[in-house]
Amino acid sequence: MTRTFAPLPEDFEPTRATLHQYANAVGAVPRAHAEPHDKWWHVALQVTPRGLETIDMDLPGGGRFNIRLDLTTHEVVVSADGDSVARCSLGAGMTGTEMGDAVIGAVAELGLQAEYAREKFESAEARHYDPAIAAAFFDVLTETHGVYSLHRERIGGRVSPLHVWPHGFDMAFEWFGTRVAEYEEHGEMKQFPSQCNFGFYPAGRAYLYANPWPFEADALLPVELPSGAEWHTDGWEGSILYYDQLAGDPAAEKRILDYLAAVFEAAAPTLTA
């Protein structure tokens, strides 16, 4: 398969922001109804040939349902046992609150009620959505997903699924090391497995990232990264490769894989007990 990695449209941001807002509306449903995962994987969306989908969730009377941001028909689709039961146009200009209400209303028709995290999606701002721009973004996301899936298979070990996170609207997966590190969470010191996060963030100047945690600066910063990538320590610690440095390059796939592999090879010894 030849991946072209076309540039993201210059006027992508309004459509991206709408997808982000609606992803949060959709994500409120698995947050309330999916079987909880301790790493919050249950709220994430999956990249499929048709768009971004929640995991399947149980219906009260038996059967399963899910919700899809369909980027081929440009709708939010609620499906039960494989059949669509409700559709909302992505291009109707609905606010985040209106989309959330529509999705929750469709889920209520399936017999589900809950206290939803409405603060995740409520907004009175009308949204702009361009189907052609959304389709171009989906092409980029699908190609990037394919390369990250290949990298995920190559490094093996204990890895998470490859998700799109509604809250940040980035796509990422985690590789877990054997080292255990301490981290302060809500004023309490807790222990977590070391990890390296590999992802793609499409907002602003879109970029790919590979972020080891804990970040051992003395071991990592002297390592020269390939493909125009660089270490990043301003605000967050990790590494970054801007998408516009890759777009249109016939060697983009190899450059991405070389970058991800270089960070992993440098970081893995620091993440292993």
Side-chain angles (χ1 to χ4, degrees):
M1 175 182 177
T2 301
R3 297 184 172 97
T4 59
F5 291 97
L8 287 167
E10 291 185 5
D11 50 354
F12 171 49
E13 179 54 26
T15 295
R16 186 214 63 82
T18 295
L19 287 171
H20 189 176
Q21 189 81 41
Y22 293 171
N24 276 310
V26 168
V29 174
R31 180 180 288 268
H33 295 296
E35 182 177 350
H37 190 281
D38 60 358
K39 297 186 184 299
W40 291 93
W41 296 351
H42 61 290
V43 306
L45 304 176
Q46 320 302 314
V47 178
T48 73
R50 299 185 66 176
L52 305 176
E53 297 191 20
T54 68
I55 62 172
D56 289 343
M57 294 164 277
D58 290 330
L59 288 168
R64 308 273 277 171
F65 81 102
N66 72 3
I67 308 173
R68 178 175 71 251
L69 284 159
D70 195 312
L71 301 181
T72 63
T73 63
H74 307 287
E75 300 168 298
V76 172
V77 182
V78 179
S79 297
D81 295 327
D83 295 325
S84 65
V85 295
R87 295 175 177 267
C88 299
S89 171
L90 291 169
M94 297 170 72
T95 67
T97 300
E98 289 169 339
M99 181 59 78
D101 286 344
V103 170
I104 290 169
V107 169
E109 291 293 322
L110 297 174
L112 291 154
Q113 300 285 340
E115 291 292 330
Y116 296 98
R118 300 186 62 89
E119 71 278 3
K120 301 293 182 182
F121 62 80
E122 284 190 329
S123 169
E125 180 182 355
R127 308 305 318 185
H128 172 81
Y129 181 86
D130 185 312
I133 289 175
F137 163 65
F138 187 43
D139 286 344
V140 170
L141 188 68
T142 299
E143 291 186 333
T144 307
H145 184 275
V147 177
Y148 273 69
S149 297
L150 180 57
H151 174 65
R152 181 176 174 274
E153 293 171 4
R154 286 183 177 180
I155 62 177
R158 184 181 169 216
V159 294
S160 78
L162 184 51
H163 298 301
V164 172
W165 292 102
H167 62 277
F169 207 58
D170 57 329
M171 178 179 68
F173 79 91
E174 302 157 308
W175 176 89
F176 297 98
T178 55
R179 175 184 171 190
V180 175
E182 287 193 334
Y183 179 76
E184 184 177 344
E185 185 175 71
H186 306 303
E188 181 182 351
M189 295 303 297
K190 295 185 178 181
Q191 291 188 330
F192 295 95
S194 60
Q195 58 193 260
C196 193
N197 300 331
F198 300 95
F200 171 58
Y201 182 68
R205 187 183 179 191
Y207 60 85
L208 293 78
Y209 62 85
N211 300 342
W213 181 86
F215 188 84
E216 301 293 351
D218 290 346
L220 297 174
L221 293 181
V223 176
E224 185 174 349
L225 298 177
S227 305
E230 59 191 61
W231 296 109
H232 187 283
T233 58
D234 183 13
W236 52 268
E237 293 178 318
S239 66
I240 191 167
L241 174 59
Y242 288 106
Y243 182 78
D244 59 17
Q245 294 180 296
L246 300 163
D249 185 346
E253 179 172 341
K254 181 179 185 304
R255 290 177 62 192
I256 294 171
L257 290 170
D258 287 349
Y259 157 57
L260 299 176
V263 174
F264 179 73
E265 290 168 7
T270 74
L271 305 177
T272 305

